[in-house]
Amino acid sequence: MAYSKELIKSLEEKGQLLRRDCIKCIGVGVAGHVGGSCSSADLVAALYFHKLKLDPKNPEWEGRDYFLLSKGHVAILQYSALAERGFFPVDDLPHCKDIGFYLQGHPHLGTPGIEAGTGSLGQGLSLGLGMAIGLKLDEKPNRVYVLVGDGEMDEGQIWEAAMAAGAKKMNNLCAIIDNNGLQAQGFIKDRLNSEPIADKWRAFGWNVIEIDGHNMEQILTALDDAEKCTDKPTAIVAHTVKGKGVSFAENKAGYHNKALTQEEYDQALAELS
Amino acid sequence: MAEKNQRTAYGQTLLELCRENKDIVVLDADLGGSTMGKMVEVEPGLEDRHIEMGIAEANMLSTAGGLSRVGKIPFAASFAVFAAGRAYDQIRQSIAIGKLNVKICGSSAGCSDFGDGATHQSIDDIAYMRVIPNMSVFVPADANETVAITKYMASHEGPMYIRVNRNPYDNVTPEGAEFKPGEPVVLKEGTDVTVFACGVMVPKALEAAKALEGKISVRVVNVPSIKPMNCEAIAALARDVKGVVTAEEHSVIGGLGGAIAEALRLERTPIEFVGVEDRFGESAHNYDDILNYLGLTAAHIQEAVEKIYNL
């Protein structure tokens, strides 16, 4: 499918906007998840500003699609998308983690637009599977999207959910794997090495689509193609760059969860503008 | 005649509930024949309401959480050591923090799976379920109470855990009695010592009270609701006696005894625990043998009551 240049451009700009929101929220001198937020930003922008059926004024709208951030440590990215989409004020973003405030350090049920509490890695896909099964039982057309980290795939529960979803042919479920190649302490290839990721998901009975996770046209095509698959869940393996758009943070595990200096903060915002 | 097996009572009640409410779904981890979830799976017209999740309890519990988010009322069951123990983190993270409407059945609980030994005997599930915020913990005394609690769980919001015994024994609570969460239920009045018991230890407490008749007047209180617990009601049942005894098929650490001790923390009431000392269970050829071996009999309760009475 061809997408208009205007759509592609506007979604690319949304990706950059979300990155800037994240950097502003993280601020100076306090650790924040720069790397994983920036790697997922284009995927999240495509979902929230194009693909997902949502009603910001009625977050519990029955017709909505469900998005779960299984890599819940980049909550700030999801909050930025929800705020920019109108679920709550953008001005609330810097108050994330304020005592008693509704924007918790990890996605928390009760925040407008948050579908499930996530952050204990490995559980989001199972939660999404439950939603997908329930929606199918009721013969509802809503779709379920779960963003999974490649480091997160170390968790055994991911593979329990993958096996179950494949066996049950949950074609209303779409896992998007942010394959940035890094986890908190270094490269995934130097740890449990979840590669070859696409082959693994294929072997578990999934329809697998590999894309450049920063190419908006490829992202949109993959999301649309996933919807056409009638007998399998789809795994979109999105090759991404950790810290994408912030030159000093790109491909560095050190920026998984790091405090920025004033100079880094200024440079990041300048590069993302 | 009323059913005597808690597992069968659980399965029959689920079947009935599934017929009444299209949103109730039953999840099993390849043990539906034992938890009795299979009664729903084989029921014509209800097959799709039983969701087989394979031998993957962690995924089953998080999946149940997801089902609850789209309006389903999932009952997820396995042996207690797996449903609650293996999936503890999923219950805590996926379900309890968000107060999801998920019902968890810890089947073959306590030492009721006597043959399989320590790996299959849950002597710690009450403790680690009740410590989770937002979680309710129920221990039916018999099959009749299993029916009442299961029905309550289906019709009330929130994460709840029910602990179900594997083996049949005579009912001690009336059929059709209403289950009231939090409330202790006096089964026999007495004036010297109060015994708070749950599960299979309830009939044993009644037996101990009978054996002591004429010597020590024992009040027997069934405590099916470990959490929530009406602490004032518990204290009132402890204040007018010399002291209390707790009796449970569970470790003396963190279970009913712990909950009662917490409820009585501002009272001057001596308390003795009858339960599994700080150890795992082990295999036996029959249920009574393992209960006797671990100190979970009427005689052990009787001894504890005498100890309190003679202080």
Side-chain angles (χ1 to χ4, degrees):
Chain A
M1 191 191 291
Y3 304 93
S4 72
K5 279 184 184 158
E6 293 73 27
L7 175 66
I8 298 289
K9 187 160 181 290
S10 103
L11 291 175
E12 285 169 351
E13 284 172 3
K14 292 292 186 198
Q16 291 294 81
L17 172 66
L18 298 184
R19 289 185 176 95
R20 287 199 298 277
D21 283 343
C22 289
I23 297 294
K24 285 180 193 165
C25 286
I26 291 165
V28 174
V30 180
H33 289 92
V34 175
S37 296
C38 289
S39 65
S40 296
D42 297 314
L43 300 164
V44 168
L47 285 161
Y48 273 101
F49 294 94
H50 177 71
K51 189 67 189 170
L52 298 177
K53 294 187 182 77
L54 297 168
D55 180 359
K57 299 297 164 222
N58 181 13
E60 297 283 311
W61 171 47
E62 280 206 7
R64 74 192 185 277
D65 291 327
Y66 293 77
F67 172 76
L68 289 85
L69 185 71
S70 195
K71 46 174 286 188
H73 49 280
V74 300
I76 194 67
L77 175 65
Q78 189 174 14
Y79 296 159
S80 297
L82 288 166
E84 296 290 357
R85 192 72 170 71
F87 281 78
F88 46 79
V90 177
D91 289 347
D92 280 359
L93 291 174
H95 295 289
C96 178
K97 302 187 192 178
D98 283 2
I99 287 280
F101 201 59
Y102 70 95
L103 297 177
Q104 293 287 300
H106 283 84
H108 187 78
L109 211 53
T111 299
I114 296 295
E115 302 291 1
T118 51
S120 179
L121 292 177
Q123 301 191 13
L125 187 60
S126 305
L127 283 157
L129 170 62
M131 293 173 185
I133 292 173
L135 291 165
K136 249 191 200 296
L137 275 175
D138 289 341
E139 297 175 357
K140 288 183 176 168
N142 320 45
R143 292 182 59 75
V144 182
Y145 298 87
V146 184
L147 184 61
V148 179
D150 53 2
E152 184 181 7
M153 285 162 49
D154 290 354
E155 293 282 2
Q157 190 180 345
I158 288 286
W159 302 104
E160 292 184 4
M163 201 185 303
K168 293 180 188 301
K169 305 184 192 306
M170 302 308 299
N171 66 317
N172 56 347
L173 178 64
C174 179
I176 301 159
I177 296 141
D178 180 358
N179 185 199
N180 62 31
L182 285 132
Q183 54 197 99
Q185 302 297 314
F187 290 98
I188 62 167
K189 66 177 169 49
D190 296 333
R191 286 166 170 72
L192 302 192
N193 192 15
S194 42
E195 298 286 355
I197 292 173
D199 289 349
K200 283 183 177 140
W201 288 83
R202 214 171 273 124
F204 277 72
W206 290 58
N207 169 44
V208 176
I209 304 170
E210 285 196 79
I211 59 165
D212 172 350
H214 302 302
N215 181 312
M216 199 51 78
E217 186 149 10
Q218 288 187 28
I219 297 172
L220 298 185
T221 306
L223 290 170
D224 284 343
D225 286 350
E227 208 165 348
K228 291 175 199 152
C229 184
T230 55
D231 60 345
K232 288 176 182 177
T234 292
I236 298 174
V237 180
H239 301 286
T240 60
V241 174
K242 192 148 183 166
K244 175 73 176 177
V246 180
S247 60
F248 57 84
E250 285 192 358
N251 271 321
K252 291 203 182 94
Y255 284 87
H256 173 83
N257 185 21
K258 188 177 184 298
L260 300 176
T261 63
Q262 184 66 53
E263 294 70 30
E264 287 176 325
Y265 176 85
D266 293 340
Q267 185 184 337
L269 285 183
E271 288 182 7
L272 293 169
S273 60
Chain B
M1 198 173 71
E3 177 56 49
K4 290 184 179 182
N5 185 298
Q6 294 185 22
R7 289 185 294 150
T8 311
Y10 175 76
Q12 286 170 345
T13 308
L14 275 189
L15 184 56
E16 194 182 310
L17 290 166
C18 280
R19 287 194 187 112
E20 291 167 3
N21 185 341
K22 70 169 184 58
D23 286 329
I24 292 176
V25 290
V26 178
L27 289 81
D28 272 299
D30 199 33
L31 283 172
S34 180
T35 66
M36 298 299 170
K38 199 169 186 79
M39 295 173 83
V40 173
E41 185 182 10
V42 300
E43 180 70 11
L46 291 179
E47 300 90 342
D48 65 346
R49 305 279 290 286
H50 181 271
I51 305 168
E52 179 54 61
M53 296 306 298
I55 312 165
E57 297 79 10
N59 182 47
M60 174 170 75
L61 269 298
S62 293
T63 298
L67 281 158
S68 77
R69 283 290 294 138
V70 292
K72 299 296 170 190
I73 305 167
F75 278 76
S78 185
F79 284 18
V81 284
F82 309 129
R86 192 182 186 110
Y88 171 82
D89 187 56
Q90 286 69 26
I91 294 170
R92 182 189 191 281
Q93 309 283 16
S94 287
I95 296 169
I97 292 176
K99 298 183 193 172
L100 298 186
N101 193 26
V102 174
K103 317 303 173 184
I104 302 151
C105 173
S107 200
S108 290
C111 300
S112 67
D113 183 14
F114 51 83
D116 282 330
T119 54
H120 285 54
Q121 295 167 350
S122 61
I123 44 80
D124 44 358
D125 56 317
I126 296 176
Y128 57 67
M129 283 295 100
R130 84 181 179 89
V131 78
I132 301 176
N134 301 332
M135 180 64 70
S136 295
V137 178
F138 305 135
V139 183
D142 56 20
N144 282 344
E145 203 163 49
T146 303
V147 173
I149 292 174
T150 306
K151 285 181 178 170
Y152 173 85
M153 290 167 77
S155 56
H156 292 78
E157 278 282 323
M160 298 177 193
Y161 176 70
I162 182 173
R163 187 184 208 238
V164 167
N165 196 299
R166 183 180 183 83
N167 306 311
Y169 55 87
D170 288 343
N171 283 292
V172 292
T173 70
E175 200 174 352
E178 185 194 354
F179 171 68
K180 294 179 184 154
E183 298 308 315
V185 184
V186 177
L187 295 183
K188 179 195 166 298
E189 267 304 351
T191 53
D192 295 326
V193 174
T194 294
V195 178
F196 293 106
C198 65
V200 72
M201 298 308 282
V202 175
K204 294 185 192 305
L206 288 166
E207 193 185 326
K210 192 161 189 194
L212 287 165
E213 263 175 21
K215 287 183 279 184
I216 305 173
S217 171
V218 181
R219 173 191 284 140
V220 177
V221 182
N222 172 27
V223 187
S225 180
I226 311 289
K227 189 182 169 189
M229 180 176 275
N230 180 342
C231 295
E232 185 45 45
I234 295 289
L237 292 165
R239 271 181 207 133
D240 60 355
V241 289
K242 287 194 71 172
V244 307
V245 169
T246 63
E248 63 196 304
E249 189 190 13
H250 183 277
S251 172
V252 292
I253 300 172
L256 172 69
I260 296 288
E262 289 158 21
L264 298 178
R265 64 191 177 276
L266 297 180
E267 306 293 322
R268 297 170 195 280
T269 312
I271 179 165
E272 176 61 311
F273 301 141
V274 174
V276 180
E277 291 305 324
D278 185 17
R279 55 157 298 167
F280 289 108
E282 54 188 276
S283 288
H285 291 299
N286 67 64
Y287 193 27
D288 284 342
D289 281 358
I290 188 65
L291 292 177
N292 185 41
Y293 186 69
L294 294 173
L296 307 175
T297 67
H300 290 95
I301 297 173
Q302 199 176 320
E303 205 177 295
V305 168
E306 285 167 342
K307 192 172 170 183
I308 291 288
Y309 183 71
N310 293 320
L311 278 178

